[in-house]
Structures are given as structure tokens and as C-alpha cells.
Amino acid sequence: MTKRQQFKKSVFDIIDSNRPNSIPQHLLVSGNEGVGKTCIIESIASELLSRGFKVTKFLYPHSNIVTADDIINKVDVSNNNNYIIIDDFDKMLQSLPNEEQYRLRAFLFKKNAPMLIATSTGLYEGFSDYRMPFYDAFRVFHIPELEYEDLADILPKKEYEAVKNDETFLDVLPKLGGNLNYICSLAIALQSCNSVDVAIQSVIAQNDRYFRLLFSGLSGMLQRTLYGLAQAGETASSAEVQHQSGLTAANTASGLFRLEKQGIISRVGDKKRNVTYKINDYLLGKWLKKT
């Protein structure tokens, strides 16, 4: 059994352990962008429906949710076997006023309340800050890393058969960070060309708009820091980033710290001195390098 299959079994163990006339244990599925959180909760929702349970789904974007009632009124409270699925719950909370968040929490933390199964990119700070409405509200599950054995489940059969023994594809696979979109797109692109490098450029082109939006959402200093890191190589020291970016040492250090805080970059290894950094999204780094 793969880690992802074990993960899903653990989720259903908790679902099955919720007792009637009690407050349900709500679940949060956490993970990086593109690792398959939405696919997993869609699969959970399908299985719940097949068991005859009532499932109310709210998928991103949540532009029609501005009060707690926009969620509560869609739930059939006469049915005790009720589940609410909310994708990108962290993003929804950022647009929902605190008083409405408290109303939603009060609704969910009653006996026989519907069980909430939600996703979050990373772990939203509002879930760990005791001053926030949804502090300590969830049993948190982090999406496990993609394993080679998972490819048969996530790729179309034709693409899986074509790449399962392709050494060049398997060499690139660990660099993609478990991003299902990248993996599927790369496997499909490889069907029309013989070069992994050409296929990677095709996937980068497909995600150009996403990369531009992400990059344009950063401040000018963070853009220069990130661009400098990409130009310096797959990993680089603060001094190398400074050289490429043209920023001062203080601004480079501040930029690296803030990018790391946002999860865009990370430190390589556990060195305390002579620290090096890398861009977490391998394809974003390649996009920046050629931009």
C-alpha cells in the first residue's frame, strides 16, 4: 500500500470513528500547491456519496461566500450523515470576516454537526494562532510525497505505459515536488517529442500565466531576489544571489528570509553557516532563468 493509499485509509478511519450525538472530528488536508489535495478530497467525496451520505461541496473560487450563512444554508441539517467539503479553506477564510468565521465554527462544533473536510495550501497561520476563530479546529493531515508506485493511479494508462521505464522522465520526477499537474503534463508532452528538455519547455509554456501571476504578485525587492536566485543556479548562497540581483547585502538577506517564509524558496541541507537556497518550484526556477 502506498503512502497516499494509507493516508486515505486513515481519513476514513476517522470518518468511521465519529459517533452519533457527538461533535465530529473535522479534518484538514494540507500540502503544497499542485500536490493533489483537490483530487484527494474529490475522491473522498465520491466514496462518501457512494455510501449514501450527504455531501455539500464548496470548490475554489469562493466569490459567492461572504457570510457563514452562505455555507450553513446549503447544508441539510435534518440529515445527521452530513459532510461539508471545502477546497482551499485557507483562502476562503481570508475573505470571511472574523465574526462570520466564529459563527461558522459555532455551527460546526455542535452535536450532530456536519463533518468538515477541508484543504489548505501549507498550514494557514489562522489554524495555529490561538486568537483566531479556527485555532486548533482540525485534525491535520499533510499530503505524503508522491511515490513511483502512485504513477499508475494518477497517469492515463497510455502515458503511464510510455514513461514508467523512461529513465530520463524518472530522473526529472523527484524535482517536480509531487505536483500532479506538472507530472501529467510532462508525461503527455513526452508522447510528441523524444527530448525531456523539450517536453519540460512545453510544460513551462503551459504554466506561463501562472508563473507571471505569482511573480507579479511579489514586491519589487522580492522579484529581484527571486530572479537573482534563479540566475545564480539551482542552489546559491546569499552572496551569489546578491551578485546576480544587484541588491545590498541587507536587502538580499531580507528578501531571502521573506521568500522562505512564504514557502517559495527553502534552505538546502541543515548548514548553519554558508547557507544555500533553492527555488521550491523547479519549473518556476527554469521559467525565471529564461525570462
Side-chain angles (χ1 to χ4, degrees):
M1 182 182 289
T2 68
K3 288 180 182 176
R4 290 184 176 228
Q5 289 170 329
Q6 290 172 343
F7 163 80
K8 191 173 174 183
K9 180 181 181 301
S10 297
V11 167
F12 274 97
D13 284 345
I14 291 175
I15 288 172
D16 294 336
S17 69
N18 279 327
R19 288 181 264 176
N21 301 314
S22 64
I23 298 171
Q25 171 69 76
H26 304 294
L27 302 181
L28 183 73
V29 179
S30 166
N32 293 333
E33 197 78 44
V35 297
K37 299 184 298 296
T38 303
C39 290
I40 285 174
I41 63 166
E42 286 276 21
S43 172
I44 291 169
S46 295
E47 186 161 338
L48 288 170
L49 287 167
S50 72
R51 294 185 182 191
F53 297 136
K54 187 80 173 177
V55 178
T56 307
K57 292 194 289 187
F58 299 90
L59 303 180
Y60 185 80
H62 313 100
S63 53
N64 58 336
I65 299 177
V66 292
T67 70
D69 285 337
D70 294 328
I71 296 173
I72 296 169
N73 291 341
K74 288 187 169 69
V75 179
D76 180 7
V77 292
S78 65
N79 187 337
N80 289 339
N81 292 321
N82 240 308
Y83 294 85
I84 302 175
I85 304 287
I86 303 182
D87 196 21
D88 289 314
F89 188 59
D90 53 323
K91 292 179 180 148
M92 190 204 76
L93 288 183
Q94 291 174 45
S95 60
L96 200 63
N98 265 23
E99 60 270 21
E100 295 299 323
Q101 292 185 37
Y102 277 115
R103 289 189 61 235
L104 178 59
R105 176 163 182 145
F107 169 73
L108 293 169
F109 280 80
K110 297 187 297 187
K111 288 183 178 180
N112 291 323
M115 180 179 179
L116 173 61
I117 303 172
T119 72
S120 170
T121 301
L123 198 54
Y124 176 54
E125 60 185 13
F127 301 142
S128 55
D129 186 339
Y130 72 92
R131 297 165 296 184
M132 301 299 286
F134 276 88
Y135 166 69
D136 206 21
F138 295 100
R139 171 78 177 272
V140 179
F141 283 92
H142 294 282
I143 293 288
E145 288 296 317
L146 191 78
E147 297 178 325
Y148 172 77
E149 291 78 7
D150 294 313
L151 291 179
D153 294 327
I154 66 168
L155 292 177
K157 185 174 180 180
K158 179 183 175 184
E159 281 71 29
Y160 172 68
E161 290 298 327
V163 301
K164 66 179 182 180
N165 296 318
D166 186 325
E167 290 186 9
T168 51
F169 172 79
L170 297 177
D171 284 343
V172 174
L173 187 62
K175 297 180 180 180
L176 300 181
N179 187 307
L180 301 189
N181 169 42
Y182 292 168
I183 293 167
C184 292
S185 297
L186 182 60
I188 292 168
L190 278 169
Q191 303 309 299
S192 57
C193 62
N194 295 321
S195 165
V196 170
D197 288 337
V198 173
I200 285 175
Q201 292 308 316
S202 172
V203 178
I204 289 172
Q206 292 172 36
N207 288 276
D208 179 77
R209 183 173 178 273
Y210 163 69
F211 294 144
R212 289 185 185 279
L213 286 172
L214 187 153
F215 190 66
S216 64
L218 300 173
S219 68
M221 185 181 77
L222 294 188
Q223 286 182 3
R224 289 177 65 181
T225 306
L226 188 61
Y227 182 77
L229 177 53
Q231 298 307 311
E234 284 194 23
T235 65
S237 66
S238 179
E240 290 168 327
V241 175
Q242 181 188 349
H243 175 73
Q244 292 289 340
S245 67
L247 294 168
T248 65
N251 282 343
T252 300
S254 175
L256 290 169
F257 174 79
R258 289 164 61 186
L259 288 169
E260 186 180 8
K261 197 80 171 172
Q262 293 181 38
I264 296 173
I265 69 172
S266 60
R267 299 183 183 215
V268 179
D270 55 0
K271 297 178 183 176
K272 293 185 178 179
R273 301 181 65 181
N274 302 320
V275 174
T276 56
Y277 298 87
K278 69 170 183 176
I279 297 172
N280 290 331
D281 188 325
Y282 175 71
L283 296 189
L284 171 63
K286 282 192 163 292
W287 178 82
L288 285 165
K289 197 166 182 66
K290 73 181 189 69
T291 299

